[in-house]
Amino acid sequence: GKGIISENVSNGGGGGIYVTRTGSICANVIIDGTQIIKNTSAGSGGGIFMYMNGNAITMKSGKINNNKAKDGGGVVSQREVTFTLEGGEICNNTAVNGGGGYYASIDSTFIMNGGSISGNYAGKSGGGVTCLRADLVKLNGGNISYNTTETGSSAGVNINGTYAEMNGTWVTNNKTKDASGGGVMVQSTTAKVDGVSTRFAGRLVMT
């Protein structure tokens, strides 16, 4: 079987999985069919929290569903971590603050080539994805849809202070209740949309 990580609780980060670096040894995590569901974190990363430079996580298939956290209901990567989404689902997760499905910060990298980030909820910003002072975001494929934000910025994707390339991911049917940018909000960011590079000194809202 592919395995299930379910109904675990953390008072810190990583309700389901916590990944960090030991000395010079980096972690390279591959998720291929595993279900990470119904986990809870009082801090960051209801499903997964990944921390420290050099670590990487690749999701090929499986589900990260129905997890809850203060930030990053599904997955959090922080401090020079790379998260690559090739397939699978990050769905129906909840964050009190930002990044209902996924939250990246402090020089981390997010590459989305496939898969789905949908049905997630954030109380403040980025119902689907929040990237705050991350290093790089590449949205090449897959879909970010049916995510919801209560207040703050963007129901689909919220990118702030991060170089971003948007080349093929479908961002559709996301909804803000009392916020700006139903689809994508880009703030203080250099972004390349379908090969055209633009500097946004303020913000770009695409709905």
Side-chain angles (χ1 to χ4, degrees):
K2 294 294 186 179
I4 298 175
I5 299 172
S6 178
E7 300 183 66
N8 301 286
V9 178
S10 170
N11 289 324
I17 300 174
Y18 183 98
V19 181
T20 190
R21 176 174 171 171
T22 302
S24 62
I25 301 174
C26 298
N28 185 7
V29 178
I30 297 175
I31 299 171
D32 193 1
T34 300
Q35 297 185 57
I36 302 170
I37 56 177
K38 297 182 180 179
N39 301 286
T40 302
S41 170
S44 298
I48 301 172
F49 181 81
M50 197 160 192
Y51 179 76
M52 286 298 284
N53 54 305
N55 291 326
I57 182 169
T58 301
M59 184 172 180
K60 295 182 176 181
S61 65
K63 295 182 179 181
I64 301 175
N65 289 6
N66 294 297
N67 302 285
K68 297 179 181 179
K70 184 177 180 181
D71 288 300
V75 180
V76 169
S77 60
Q78 189 177 93
R79 200 176 176 91
E80 299 181 37
V81 171
T82 298
F83 176 46
T84 303
L85 182 60
E86 301 285 353
E89 302 176 3
I90 301 176
C91 301
N92 303 316
N93 301 286
T94 300
V96 174
N97 294 323
Y102 172 65
Y103 189 105
S105 68
I106 313 179
D107 300 326
S108 287
T109 295
F110 176 46
I111 301 171
M112 184 173 183
N113 295 322
S116 174
I117 299 175
S118 65
N120 301 287
Y121 170 86
K124 293 185 178 179
S125 65
V129 175
T130 288
C131 296
L132 178 62
R133 298 189 304 276
D135 183 57
L136 172 66
V137 177
K138 285 188 175 183
L139 303 179
N140 300 322
N143 69 85
I144 300 171
S145 59
Y146 297 101
N147 301 287
T148 305
T149 297
E150 194 75 28
T151 62
S153 304
S154 184
V157 183
N158 180 37
I159 301 172
N160 191 329
T162 304
Y163 178 80
E165 294 184 6
M166 291 167 273
N167 301 314
T169 299
W170 285 40
V171 183
T172 61
N173 296 296
N174 299 285
K175 183 178 180 181
T176 63
K177 292 186 177 180
D178 186 21
S180 300
V184 180
M185 175 173 279
V186 181
Q187 299 175 280
S188 302
T189 294
T190 297
K192 185 182 288 185
V193 182
D194 290 333
V196 180
S197 183
T198 308
R199 171 70 185 178
F200 302 107
R203 71 183 186 187
L204 170 69
V205 178
M206 295 177 283
T207 59

